[in-house]
Amino acid sequence: MGERRIAVMIHPVREEALVSAAEFISRMARHGVDTIVLPEQWELCARALPDLVDTPHLQPSADLSSNHVELVVVFGGDGTILRAAEWAYEPEVPLLGVNLGHVGFLAELDSSEVGHLVTHVTERSYDVEERLTLSVSVHDEHGRLAWESFAINEVSLEKGSRERMLEVLAHIDERPISRWAGDGVLVSTPTGSTAYAFSAGGPVMWPDVEAIELVPLSAHALFARPMVLSPRSRVDLDILPHNAGPAVLWCDGRRTFDLQPGSRVTVSRGPHDLLLARLTEQPFTTRLVKKFNLTIDGWRSPHGRSARGA
């Protein structure tokens, strides 16, 4: 294999993702840069790139560290980037997202810009942005560790049965703060503040803010407002023993664990940051306006002068 290696993650069912990825991999091979794909995506790539199957320029592997991969290029939306984060999180390899027609907060450029992408990757002309992540652990009613994971967007503790509320006692920095009965509790990163936390009524946080967001979900309580915590804070969520039914824990809507009454969920800042490769300095404000189609026309001109001639 060559001296330089990148990895590619492809949306599993979208044809335009495979077409763009195949063009990118072929061009990278011509520049002497090898590509790693996950074993489960190998057959997909082999069909699209038969000329590269028997060359060292395209190889299946699940290990980014031993292959010294410098970048993971993701062809898909924010959901595919979250999937790729499971691959790249621990070895701390930057992700670069290529969008497929929908405005996303994590993707960097459109699929029509493959030539532009190849130039930036071969010349290593990109910056790396660091995003706070979360670490989550679950202990059972006897205090035994039952499950561990990480989250890029959010950790969501939710009731397991539709007809019953979930009663949770929340602690911040090992001090109880409130007891909530409702649909559950969500702990979000700034990255996730525009995802589930936004739908649950939480504030939008700029991605370079280092903070943790705590959002009660449809809680029956006078004090049930979202809270923005220190990045050093620890959140403990106790499922009270008298809950009639189970609960379920989700990380990024991808990894899940079933919980019983008496369990404790602990959330704190993760040991690794999410690394995102950026080709341009597009402000988060611009991404926000595009994503939510916000109205920005007003009585002032784009140059800040009054449209009325002031």
Side-chain angles (χ1 to χ4, degrees):
M1 297 182 74
E3 293 183 0
R4 295 188 61 192
R5 300 179 188 89
I6 55 95
V8 165
M9 171 75 77
I10 308 167
H11 191 289
V13 297
R14 298 190 65 173
E15 184 66 24
E16 62 265 44
L18 180 58
V19 170
S20 296
E23 181 184 352
F24 173 74
I25 293 169
S26 296
R27 291 195 186 193
M28 295 306 294
R30 291 197 291 271
H31 283 84
V33 180
D34 299 332
T35 301
I36 300 292
V37 296
L38 282 171
E40 56 262 36
Q41 293 201 328
W42 170 249
E43 185 177 343
L44 189 70
C45 291
R47 290 200 308 269
L49 297 161
D51 295 339
L52 288 179
V53 169
D54 296 323
T55 77
H57 289 299
L58 180 62
Q59 295 291 328
S61 178
D63 187 352
L64 298 181
S65 297
S66 65
N67 285 291
H68 304 291
V69 170
E70 64 186 61
L71 184 70
V72 178
V73 180
V74 186
F75 291 85
D78 285 354
T80 312
I81 293 176
L82 288 175
R83 182 181 175 214
E86 296 176 348
W87 192 18
Y89 172 73
E90 192 166 334
E92 296 186 336
V93 178
L95 301 172
L96 197 159
V98 179
N99 225 354
L100 297 175
H102 299 287
V103 176
F105 284 106
L106 299 178
E108 180 64 12
L109 74 171
D110 295 329
S111 57
S112 60
E113 302 176 281
V114 171
H116 184 58
L117 172 63
V118 169
T119 299
H120 279 277
V121 173
T122 55
E123 295 178 357
R124 292 191 177 99
S125 56
Y126 54 83
D127 296 318
V128 176
E129 181 179 295
E130 298 177 351
R131 299 280 188 93
L132 177 149
T133 65
L134 298 174
S135 175
V136 57
S137 61
V138 176
H139 289 80
D140 65 19
E141 59 181 336
H142 304 293
R144 296 175 299 208
L145 180 65
W147 191 69
E148 292 180 295
S149 188
F150 70 94
I152 302 299
N153 273 355
E154 75 278 315
V155 177
S156 175
L157 172 61
E158 303 175 27
K159 62 183 183 180
S161 56
R162 184 178 178 85
E163 69 275 10
R164 295 186 178 94
M165 290 190 296
L166 178 67
E167 197 161 355
V168 176
L169 177 60
H171 305 250
I172 297 175
D173 298 328
E174 302 183 75
R175 295 176 182 270
I177 187 167
S178 190
R179 179 168 146 178
W180 293 308
D183 288 349
V185 182
L186 186 147
V187 186
S188 172
T189 66
T191 301
S193 72
T194 52
Y196 190 0
F198 178 80
S199 299
V204 172
M205 293 195 289
W206 262 236
D208 57 348
V209 172
E210 294 207 334
I212 296 173
E213 187 174 334
L214 180 64
V215 185
L217 299 174
S218 302
H220 292 254
L222 291 176
F223 182 79
R225 300 297 185 186
M227 289 175 277
V228 178
L229 315 177
S230 162
R232 297 178 297 278
S233 288
R234 165 178 156 175
V235 177
D236 292 302
L237 303 172
D238 291 340
I239 303 173
L240 297 182
H242 60 261
N243 273 280
V248 61
L249 188 71
W250 288 92
C251 293
D252 298 329
R254 295 187 53 80
R255 298 168 299 283
T256 185
F257 185 77
D258 292 329
L259 301 142
Q260 296 301 319
S263 299
R264 166 172 279 199
V265 177
T266 299
V267 184
S268 59
R269 182 172 187 162
H272 307 285
D273 286 341
L274 172 68
L275 304 182
L276 290 178
R278 294 299 191 196
L279 306 184
T280 60
E281 293 187 9
Q282 186 183 51
F284 178 73
T285 308
T286 303
R287 296 177 188 271
L288 196 67
V289 169
K290 288 181 179 179
K291 179 67 175 180
F292 293 111
N293 194 26
L294 300 180
T295 300
I296 56 174
D297 295 330
W299 66 279
R300 293 187 181 275
S301 72
H303 302 291
R305 298 182 62 187
S306 170
R308 293 176 292 187

